[in-house]
Amino acid sequence: MALLTILAFPDDRLRKKASPVEVFDDSLKQLVGDMLETMYNAPGIGLAATQVNVHKRVIVIDVSEEKNSAVCLINPEIIEKRGVEEMEEGCLSVPGVFEKVRRAQCVRVRALDLEGNTTEFDAEGLLAVCIQHEIDHLEGHLFVDRLSPLKRQLVRKKIKKDQRHRPGKSPSHPVSSVI
C-alpha cells in the first residue's frame, strides 16, 4: 500500500468529473487499498478517487470510531433521498475549513463492490452525509460549492493565507480534516 497525494482546493483537477469503473482487477484493489491507507493517515472518514487525482468513480468511507468498518463504493449512485438535515462538514481537500451544509438525512444507495457485484442499502446520519459528500467529489463538486458566495470567498482567502504561512508546501499535499 502507498500514501497518495490529496489534491487541495482550489486545484482544478478537483473539478473533473469521474468516469465509471469498467474493469475490476488487481489495480482497482490496489487503488482502494491505497485510498484507505491515505484516508486513515490523513485522518479522514471518506475519500473519493478524484481527490487523489484518479478520475474513476470510487469512494472509500469509514465512519466508525474504531476505524475498522471500511466501505468501498464503486460507481455509486443515490437512488432515493429523504428528509433534510444540516451538519458541519470538513474536507481533506479543503483543510481547516468546517461549515454547516444541508443535505438529505437518509439516502438509498446503489453501487458495486470490488468484485463488481451490485449492492443496495439505506444510509442515514453521518454515513448518509459522507456518501453524499464523496459522490459530489465524483461529480467535480466540493462542499464549499454548497456555501453562499460570500462564505466561499472567505474560504478561498483563508486557504491562500494558510498556504502563504506554510513555505515550501504545495497546495497538493497530504492534509488532515474530516471527510
Side-chain angles (χ1 to χ4, degrees):
M1 301 297 149
L3 288 179
L4 304 171
T5 299
I6 298 173
L7 302 176
F9 176 77
D11 192 311
D12 288 338
R13 294 172 289 180
L14 290 166
R15 300 299 185 177
K16 187 172 180 180
K17 188 172 179 174
S19 301
V21 172
E22 296 176 0
V23 178
F24 293 78
D25 59 7
D26 288 341
S27 67
L28 178 63
K29 290 176 184 168
Q30 179 70 43
L31 171 64
V32 168
D34 292 347
M35 287 175 62
L36 284 167
E37 183 175 355
T38 302
M39 178 188 75
Y40 288 130
N41 184 70
I45 61 171
L47 186 67
T50 301
Q51 291 177 271
V52 293
N53 202 29
V54 176
H55 302 284
K56 295 288 183 188
R57 296 188 70 80
V58 178
I59 62 177
V60 295
I61 296 171
D62 190 343
V63 296
S64 69
E65 289 289 325
E66 302 79 21
K67 301 300 177 208
N68 63 358
S69 298
V71 175
C72 171
L73 302 175
I74 299 168
N75 300 338
E77 59 182 318
I78 295 172
I79 55 177
E80 184 182 338
K81 295 180 179 182
R82 296 181 307 277
V84 176
E85 74 177 324
E86 191 171 80
M87 189 177 288
E88 188 170 76
E89 292 185 28
C91 181
L92 294 173
S93 291
V94 189
V97 176
F98 299 89
E99 293 289 340
K100 288 192 181 269
V101 177
R102 290 174 60 105
R103 295 196 186 264
Q105 183 179 18
C106 302
V107 293
R108 180 131 187 99
V109 179
R110 180 182 302 135
L112 302 174
D113 64 17
L114 273 173
E115 306 304 320
N117 300 311
T118 301
T119 183
E120 240 182 69
F121 63 94
D122 292 316
E124 59 183 292
L126 182 58
L127 180 58
V129 167
C130 193
I131 290 169
Q132 292 170 85
H133 178 109
E134 300 309 332
I135 288 176
D136 274 358
H137 278 298
L138 300 179
E139 296 297 323
H141 304 298
L142 297 166
F143 88 99
V144 295
D145 299 337
R146 295 180 175 274
L147 304 177
S148 71
L150 176 60
K151 281 192 176 185
R152 215 172 19 252
Q153 182 77 14
L154 292 172
V155 166
R156 190 177 294 269
K157 285 181 181 179
K158 179 187 183 329
I159 289 186
K160 283 183 181 181
K161 180 181 174 185
D162 288 351
Q163 287 171 354
R164 282 194 307 269
H165 292 293
R166 286 183 284 155
K169 294 279 188 180
S170 73
S172 299
H173 64 282
V175 294
S176 62
S177 191
V178 176
I179 299 178

